[in-house]
Amino acid sequence: MLNENIKKMRQITTILIVSAFAVYSCGSESSNDTRNTTPSSQARDAKVDPHRDSPPPGSDQLNGLTSELLDVFIKAAKTFPDDSASLYQFYFEWNATRDPEKVKRQVKRMEILISEESVSRYHLVDANLERLMRNVVDVNSISKEQADSLVMLYCYYDYFAGESLFSKLLTDDDNYKLVWKSFEIMSGESQRDTCFISALINLDDCIRTNAELAEAMPDFIVKAIANFPEGFLAMYGVRKRQTEGDFANYISIYDEPDKKLIAIFTEISTSSKNENHRRAAADLLQKAKN
C-alpha cells in the first residue's frame, strides 16, 4: 500500500510540473496574442505599420527549441520521478533563459542525462552508494575493491547531484557521518597499499558539487601519503616528466607544502638505503618548493 501511494505521489508531481509549464507556455502565447489582436477603433483607422506586430527575429527558432526542451524535460521527469521537482526548478527557474544557444545547450545537457548509459549509472548509484558507505563505516575498514567501487559511485553521484538529481539520497548528516567518514577511513588504509592513495587522488579530480568534501580532500590525501611515503614515491617515480610537477602538488594543502611530509621526504632523501627513493624524494621536494 505504501509503495502504491509513493508511486501515485510521483505521478502527481510529474503531472503537476508538466501541466504548470504547459499552462505557463500557453499563457505566454495567449498574452502575446491578446496584446497583438486587441485594436482600438482608432488603431483600425490609423495607418498600419507592417513591422509593428511582426515577431522579433529568432522567435520561431526559440519557440521550437522551448518545445524541444519541454519534450526532453517530460522524458527526464518520467525517468527520474523522485527528482522531477528539482529538475524543473533547475531548468525553468534557476536557469531560465530565452537565449536560443543556451536553450540548445540545455536540451543537449538533458539528453545526455537521460541517455541509456547515464540512466544505468544512476540506478547503480541509487542501489549501492549509501549501502557501501554504511558497510565501510560500520566495520571501520575498506578493501581495495570497495575503494575502487566507492570512488566510482561517488564520482557518478557528484555528477548527478550537479544535474539536480539525488536530491534526497543523502542528508546533510550523511555528508559527514557517511561520506567524510568513508574517505577518512580510506585515507588511513593507505599504509597497506598505494591503491588507496590513487583512489583519493582520482576522487579529488572528479568532485564538482560537494564543496565541503572538495576542501577536505587535500588533507585526506596528505594523511594517506604520510601513512605510506615510500609508496607515494614509487607512484611519483613512474610519472612522466610533464606531470611530475602537478603530482608533487599532492604533498601540499592549498599550495602550502605540508610540514610533516616535507620532514618525512627530507629524511628519505638523505638517509634512505634505497637509491631510487632518495632520488625521487629529492626531486619531489625540489618541485614542491617551486
Side-chain angles (χ1 to χ4, degrees), residues 32-257:
N32 290 335
D33 291 343
T34 302
R35 211 168 39 242
N36 294 331
T37 59
T38 313
S40 66
S41 58
Q42 292 177 337
R44 282 197 298 269
D45 297 334
K47 183 177 180 180
V48 177
D49 181 351
H51 302 293
R52 186 187 64 185
D53 293 328
S54 60
S59 61
D60 289 341
Q61 180 191 20
L62 178 61
N63 289 337
L65 288 169
T66 302
S67 177
E68 191 176 349
L69 180 63
L70 176 57
D71 288 341
V72 73
F73 167 73
I74 292 173
K75 293 178 183 178
K78 291 178 179 179
T79 303
F80 310 110
D82 286 346
D83 294 296
S84 54
S86 58
L87 278 171
Y88 176 82
Q89 190 175 46
F90 183 79
Y91 281 96
F92 301 116
E93 292 182 4
W94 296 342
N95 295 294
T97 179
R98 296 186 63 79
D99 183 327
E101 290 304 315
K102 290 182 179 179
V103 176
K104 280 183 184 179
R105 290 196 291 270
Q106 286 182 332
V107 170
K108 183 65 176 176
R109 184 174 181 174
M110 218 180 310
E111 285 176 341
I112 293 172
L113 191 63
I114 61 174
S115 67
E116 184 177 348
E117 181 182 14
S118 176
V119 173
S120 177
R121 290 179 175 181
Y122 175 91
H123 289 305
L124 195 65
V125 173
D126 193 36
N128 297 288
L129 177 60
E130 182 183 9
R131 178 170 54 84
L132 175 56
M133 289 191 295
R134 290 196 184 281
N135 288 341
V136 169
V137 171
D138 286 345
V139 301
N140 199 35
S141 182
I142 186 169
S143 68
K144 298 177 185 179
E145 293 76 15
Q146 286 178 321
D148 290 338
S149 295
L150 180 55
V151 169
M152 178 190 71
L153 290 172
Y154 195 84
C155 286
Y156 290 166
Y157 169 82
D158 188 84
Y159 159 72
F160 287 120
E163 299 299 310
S164 285
L165 297 183
F166 287 128
S167 55
K168 302 172 184 176
L169 181 63
L170 298 174
T171 66
D172 288 341
D173 283 346
D174 289 337
N175 189 45
Y176 296 99
K177 294 179 180 178
L178 290 181
V179 179
W180 278 49
K181 187 62 178 176
S182 294
F183 295 121
E184 184 178 44
I185 291 170
M186 188 184 297
S187 177
E189 296 285 4
S190 65
Q191 58 189 314
R192 295 193 290 117
D193 199 289
T194 57
C195 73
F196 299 103
I197 301 175
S198 295
L200 289 169
I201 288 174
N202 291 336
L203 176 67
D204 184 54
D205 288 339
C206 78
I207 296 175
R208 297 291 182 272
T209 60
N210 190 335
E212 292 88 352
L213 181 60
E215 290 179 1
M217 286 308 300
D219 191 53
F220 287 154
I221 293 172
V222 161
K223 289 179 179 177
I225 295 171
N227 287 334
F228 195 5
E230 292 83 5
F232 181 75
L233 288 176
M235 295 169 66
Y236 175 79
V238 299
R239 289 296 182 277
K240 293 182 179 179
R241 267 298 182 207
Q242 58 267 33
T243 61
E244 283 179 348
D246 292 337
F247 205 68
N249 291 331
Y250 288 117
I251 71 169
S252 299
I253 297 180
Y254 302 121
D255 298 327
E256 187 68 30

